[in-house]
Amino acid sequence: MRSVTALADLPQLERQTLSGTAYAALSDLLASGRLAPGERLSLRQSAAAFGVSVMPVREAVSRLVADGVLEVSPARVIRVPMMSQDAFRALAETRIAVEGIAAARTALRHSAEDLSAIRNAEAAFRSEAEATQPDRARAIQLNRDLHFAIYDACGLAPLREIIARLWLKAGPVINLDLRAHPERLRQGFALRRHAEALAAIEARDAPAAERAIAADIREAAEFILARGGLQDHSGGD
């Protein structure tokens, strides 16, 4: 009887696995900046792209709605929420505090393997950003890859999870801004701060690593806010 009960649970476990896979895939689209605020999401198209049925995608979307990184309109349209200036400022300040801690810890405890991954990620972003015709979408993703190469080495899984959730909200705004203002990539602010962060981590200088990451986040936020692409209040479109 016990074995029959256990076997009866297997289809549910499989469905949960598919839902988790869809959740991870949608999360990656958000965090890597491949979706922008206001963009709509089709359940059927997403399911086809992921090679799964609609149900796991629906469950993944429900989780992301609960996380506050997707929303469902009264007309049942799923989309990435717009963000107000105040909400974006709060998000940036939170990221500065949390990601700064992670960078400082990485500077103190990184391994040779961690440092190699960070160096490779920094070089990949630099190569794309300095290209004659940089691929902006790829640059956004490489920027995310570098940041998470740093945070992956901090040694605190719960801290890394917190940062990942913050990036679900930050990624779409960064994407929207870079689409509208490609000059931000050409100005090289991120390149300088990334180089400073790498040098600080190589030197095991925790305060300098924290300052570099904080400056990177703050300067990007100031640029985005100065361009006026966000809502000037917390309600409505």
Side-chain angles (χ1 to χ4, degrees):
M1 181 64 71
R2 289 180 181 175
S3 63
V4 172
T5 302
L7 289 171
D9 289 338
L10 288 178
Q12 178 66 24
L13 291 173
E14 180 184 357
R15 186 165 66 85
Q16 290 175 352
T17 300
L18 289 174
S19 175
T21 300
Y23 179 86
L26 290 172
S27 295
D28 185 68
L29 289 176
L30 290 159
S32 62
R34 283 176 283 172
L35 292 173
E39 287 193 358
R40 296 183 176 186
L41 194 67
S42 164
L43 291 177
R44 293 189 181 280
Q45 290 177 0
S46 299
F50 300 152
V52 299
S53 66
V54 171
M55 184 57 70
V57 177
R58 190 187 306 278
E59 292 172 352
V61 165
S62 295
R63 288 176 62 189
L64 290 164
V65 170
D67 290 341
V69 295
L70 290 178
E71 65 182 9
V72 181
S73 73
R76 307 304 297 171
V77 173
I78 303 162
R79 68 173 189 173
V80 181
M82 302 298 292
M83 187 177 293
S84 70
Q85 292 180 5
D86 287 345
F88 183 69
R89 288 190 186 95
L91 177 61
E93 286 302 313
T94 303
R95 288 184 58 212
I96 286 168
V98 175
E99 294 174 41
I101 293 171
R105 281 186 57 87
T106 291
L108 294 176
R109 67 169 307 280
H110 67 268
S111 66
E113 184 178 356
D114 294 330
L115 184 56
S116 178
I118 294 167
R119 284 172 172 161
N120 290 340
E122 191 273 340
F125 176 82
R126 177 164 26 90
S127 177
E128 189 64 51
E130 291 179 341
T132 304
Q133 294 291 333
D135 182 329
R136 282 174 273 168
R138 176 168 166 75
I140 294 168
Q141 186 162 354
L142 291 173
N143 175 69
R144 182 262 192 128
D145 291 347
L146 171 57
H147 277 263
F148 277 89
I150 294 172
Y151 307 146
D152 286 345
C154 78
L156 291 176
L159 180 59
R160 200 268 188 204
E161 290 172 7
I162 291 169
I163 294 171
R165 293 173 75 88
L166 293 173
W167 273 70
L168 293 180
K169 294 186 177 183
V173 178
I174 295 169
N175 180 33
L176 180 65
D177 174 72
L178 200 53
R179 284 186 189 178
H181 305 288
E183 67 271 19
R184 181 159 68 88
L185 190 61
R186 292 195 297 269
Q187 288 175 357
F189 296 133
L191 282 171
R192 289 194 292 274
R193 298 309 183 190
H194 291 172
E196 290 170 3
L198 174 58
I201 291 168
E202 289 174 331
R204 296 192 182 275
D205 186 338
E210 184 170 1
R211 287 195 300 270
I213 289 297
D216 184 34
I217 297 169
R218 182 175 290 110
E219 288 170 357
E222 289 172 352
F223 186 99
I224 290 169
L225 288 165
R227 294 304 182 272
L230 301 176
Q231 298 171 345
D232 59 5
H233 54 83
S234 59
D237 286 343

